Amino acid sequence: MFGNLFEEDDEAFMPESAGHDDRKLKGKDCEPPPPRGATNLCGIKNQGGTCYLNSLLQTLLFTPEFREALFNLGPEELGCVENKDKPEANVRVIPLELQKLFAHLLLLDQLAASTTDLTDSFGWSSNEEMSQQDVQELNRILFSALESSLVGTSGSDLIQRLYHGTVVNQIVCKECGNVSEKQEDFLDLTVSVNGVSGLEEALWNMYVEEELFEGNNLYCCGLCNNLVRAAKSAKLRKLPPFLTVSLLRFSFDLTKCERYKEMGRYTFPVRINLRPFCEKAERADSEYEYELFSVIIHKGGCYGGHYHVYVKDIDHLGNWEAPEEEAKPKLLNKDVKPPDSTLEREDPLSVLKAILSREESNCVLVDQLGQKLLDKIGVSWNKKFRKQYGPIGKFLQSHTDTFLLASNGTRVHLKLAGSAAPEPSQSADGEKMVDLSSPSDEHHWFDLNDSIVRPIREKDIEKQFQGKESAYMLFYRKLELQRPAEAKENPRYKVPVHLLQEIEEENGKLTQTRLEFDASSNTVEVRLHLASHYRVENGALQLCSSPQESVLQLPFDRRKTVGDFRLAVYQMQDQWEGDMALTVAKSLPAGLHLYDMLLDDSQSLYSAGVSDRSDLFVWNGREVGGVSIQTGEDWEPVLLTLLKPMEVVEDAAPGSGLCESPRGVSAGTTLGALRLALGREEALLCQEERAQGSPVSGWRVFPQDDMQKTIRELALRDGDSILILEPQALDTSQFTMNGDVVTVTTPSECRWLLVSYSPGGVAGGQEEGKTVQIPATGNMQESRRDSHYSHATGQFQDIKTVHAAVRG
């Protein structure tokens, strides 16, 4: 399947093609890689379809003896990667890149490491990186490639020493007793899944059961020179320090002529004794005992899926914390006993002692202790005691005078008062004991799923016995293999000095890059509006000068405090006197409006809601130009269009049109206050109700009760129109009142608008404003929609007709 992907020939190290360079460039990102997570373990990036490779590499990394044997090979034996293109250099690229990757996984402060350099050393193209392959076959081919690469070095026997075992196949003649045998090496044991309940049954079928040759199926004995009855069997002769087991999950249905995945339940133990499957020999039991330390898991079907791996952190390099409970607490079923009133529920020591004392042997599995506590008192340890006393395992460790742990910390014993407790090395029933000061091994299992690393419990392995997501490869290590004390919690152990120096330099660069990136990504540009350049008009703040003079741009780190920002503004405005208030502002159609004031100087700009291109108003916090300012959403200004009948227009008959003018009004202003501000106490205020396309517009008169309602309560919005009519206007033919509806008739042949215009372009300019009459093409609502409001002039301007009318 993999072909010559691992051949270290000249072609494998030819300069990369343009397409390969593009692939590398695509992987670069301006954002630096994030640091490690809470587990302090590093994941591996998926290049598109390399999850199977990532799972195997993590297994090798968490095989300390393999990792350290690889680190023991120095540049004098392996060469240097920099010299790989030199013809005379003998550079062993694959082990060098593995060393570098392992060092990165152990020490580089990043969330996930890249395998690009390693796969390049394999000679892989983007096709191989995007295509998922079988991890069992990869395991064999990678080991074969390593063996070939390490020939002539002190590590030439690395794979042979750690992983190779031997099986002996025997045929015993039932007539003469002659034994014919053939010995075979194995890198992994391939065991059947179909029709088998678990690993131990599969091994029994392979290495204990005999196949008999009898009846029509006889064996030709070379010594008897005749067809005889015989028995065929196989036994494990040499066991490696690390045993790899490949599960045959994929089978072929001869009836349907298609592949399928075995998803039935298939158990495997965390610890296993292989003596029953080996040749008889006078050896200690410890040589046959193995413990599980890695499970590669396949999720999916036979034509595709995803790999991840459960590993046991032998050297305690990661930070293990109890995983969050994914499911909601289950309701107690009918079988759960009610809380025991005799227990001192508030004292965890008394509760646990009572539970253990009621067990027949005064001991229980640690995993079951929490459930028994829940059954007894009706509440879990985490909910009742964890906050004050910590995890239940830690609590047991702190009370060595009361509890002892057996079976590597998986079983807890109660020391009985008044009787001699078993020695720490051995319990009364012969179990080996461990010191409670060392945490249980179950606390060092992790799920490494490409870039994601999370802690799991040892019991979570049982979830992979069956189903679409199930165990595919098992890795065991001899129980007698001991780790040196200095290797515990020490990721630098045995890492070559030159790699330590490289990692230290790279970590320094990463730290600096992150600081620079954080500064740049958190720098926001704030627009400062200075109060001295604004005036209050019609409920909103209007510019008195050009935007270039009144608005300042200030780049600032949003992680800094409001106090820091205020100080920076003070330094920019050295002429400022008195208090300085910073208030969030927003530009609305009616003008600038103020909202929340930044009061807490210890709060960060980010927490205060200041983002890029936010507007802040700089003032004294009370008034602008002697006018008090109402702030907040309740006082947002609404830009209304006020219409009133024409009074005097050159060359036009009285009453033949309407005059339109914009006006900003605070949303908290009542309609009556608006009428009073307009100086029209007796006038009727009307809201338009026009039928689409009709030349006649209807206006509903606001009732007297509405005079006490605010603009917000009346749901008036920007652009809404209000018609102002004096009572005498109803005497003309243009306006007709029927009930509370006023009808305005505008003949199509004489429809026009009167628009105010300031040629100076800035309010308050020296040039006198002009009033012009322009034709109203289409209905009035459409005409107003095509108009443009200028904050500089404070007026609407019809884009197409106003300027032409003025020029005329």
Side-chain angles (χ1 to χ4, degrees), residues 518-532:
D518 286 346
S520 63
S521 61
N522 283 286
T523 297
V524 294
E525 193 171 80
V526 182
R527 295 184 293 199
L528 300 176
H529 299 259
L530 306 178
S532 57

Side-chain angles (χ1 to χ4, degrees), residues 625-640:
V627 180
S628 297
I629 304 295
Q630 300 284 0
T631 64
E633 291 185 0
D634 291 340
W635 294 94
E636 280 184 349
V638 177
L639 187 62
L640 300 177

Side-chain angles (χ1 to χ4, degrees), residues 362-612:
N362 292 325
C363 71
V364 70
L365 291 174
V366 175
D367 283 347
Q368 297 176 359
L369 186 58
Q371 182 61 46
K372 289 181 178 293
L373 181 142
L374 177 63
D375 295 343
K376 287 289 185 182
I377 67 174
V379 64
S380 69
W381 174 276
N382 286 347
K383 190 172 182 180
K384 182 72 175 176
F385 301 118
R386 182 183 176 92
K387 186 175 182 180
Q388 183 176 357
Y389 299 100
I392 192 170
K394 184 178 179 181
F395 180 83
L396 294 174
Q397 295 171 25
S398 62
H399 293 81
T400 54
D401 56 333
T402 306
F403 307 108
L404 282 176
L405 291 181
S407 303
N408 284 334
T410 60
R411 184 182 295 274
V412 60
H413 289 253
L414 175 66
K415 290 183 177 179
L416 299 178
S419 62
E423 292 295 325
S425 60
Q426 192 173 15
S427 67
D429 56 4
E431 290 182 307
K432 295 182 179 179
M433 310 298 287
V434 296
D435 187 355
L436 285 170
S437 61
S438 61
S440 170
D441 281 349
E442 76 152 358
H443 292 173
H444 294 279
W445 279 89
F446 293 89
D447 176 14
L448 293 100
N449 190 345
D450 289 336
S451 299
I452 302 172
V453 181
R454 64 181 184 90
I456 60 169
R457 297 186 183 276
E458 187 176 85
K459 63 182 180 181
D460 291 333
I461 298 173
E462 297 178 8
K463 299 176 183 177
Q464 310 305 331
F465 284 169
Q466 61 190 354
K468 206 167 187 178
E469 182 178 7
S470 48
Y472 191 56
M473 287 187 76
L474 311 176
F475 297 83
Y476 287 87
R477 56 182 287 123
K478 278 192 174 181
L479 198 59
E480 65 181 3
L481 293 175
Q482 298 295 319
R483 298 293 297 145
E486 55 269 25
K488 298 289 184 181
E489 302 179 359
N490 181 14
R492 300 170 63 90
Y493 184 69
K494 294 290 186 179
V495 178
V497 175
H498 70 281
L499 288 177
L500 289 175
Q501 294 173 346
E502 288 180 15
I503 296 296
E504 188 173 349
E505 292 176 5
E506 289 189 52
N507 277 333
K509 292 178 181 178
L510 276 175
T511 301
Q512 183 62 29
T513 304
R514 289 187 183 119
L515 290 174
E516 294 173 356
F517 179 80
D518 286 346
S520 63
S521 61
N522 283 286
T523 297
V524 294
E525 193 171 80
V526 182
R527 295 184 293 199
L528 300 176
H529 299 259
L530 306 178
S532 57
H533 295 272
Y534 280 84
R535 72 178 188 279
V536 181
E537 183 179 309
N538 296 332
L541 292 164
Q542 309 294 342
L543 282 171
C544 298
S545 57
S546 66
Q548 291 77 8
E549 297 176 359
S550 59
V551 181
L552 303 178
Q553 309 284 349
L554 178 59
F556 206 77
D557 191 335
R558 63 177 180 170
R559 295 171 297 180
K560 293 186 177 180
T561 64
V562 173
D564 296 332
F565 185 78
R566 194 188 309 275
L567 180 61
V569 178
Y570 264 121
Q571 293 171 349
M572 291 178 63
Q573 300 294 307
D574 52 2
Q575 302 298 323
W576 189 279
E577 295 182 359
D579 296 334
M580 175 186 287
L582 301 173
T583 305
V584 177
K586 185 178 179 181
S587 182
L588 301 174
L592 195 70
H593 184 63
L594 306 185
Y595 293 86
D596 298 326
M597 191 177 295
L598 306 185
L599 300 174
D600 186 358
D601 278 2
S602 64
Q603 188 180 31
S604 68
L605 288 186
Y606 176 80
S607 300
V610 177
S611 58
D612 193 38

Side-chain angles (χ1 to χ4, degrees), residues 138 157 267 288-289 303 310 336 421 429 489-490 556 610 613 626 648 660 674 703 705 734 752 793 802:
L138 173 67
D157 65 340
T267 63
Y288 299 98
E289 292 180 351
Y303 297 107
Y310 288 176
V336 176
D429 56 4
E489 302 179 359
N490 181 14
F556 206 77
V610 177
R613 302 191 67 78
V648 179
E660 175 181 307
L674 172 62
D705 290 346
Q734 184 182 2
W752 48 273
T793 64
V802 172

Side-chain angles (χ1 to χ4, degrees), residues 198-201 203 266-274 277 290-295 445 458 461-462 465 474-476:
L199 176 63
E200 290 167 305
E201 182 183 348
L203 292 176
Y266 188 91
T267 63
F268 47 88
V270 174
R271 292 191 180 175
I272 187 170
N273 189 311
L274 297 180
F277 317 115
Y290 283 78
E291 66 173 349
L292 187 71
F293 75 97
S294 176
V295 182
W445 279 89
E458 187 176 85
I461 298 173
E462 297 178 8
F465 284 169
L474 311 176
F475 297 83
Y476 287 87

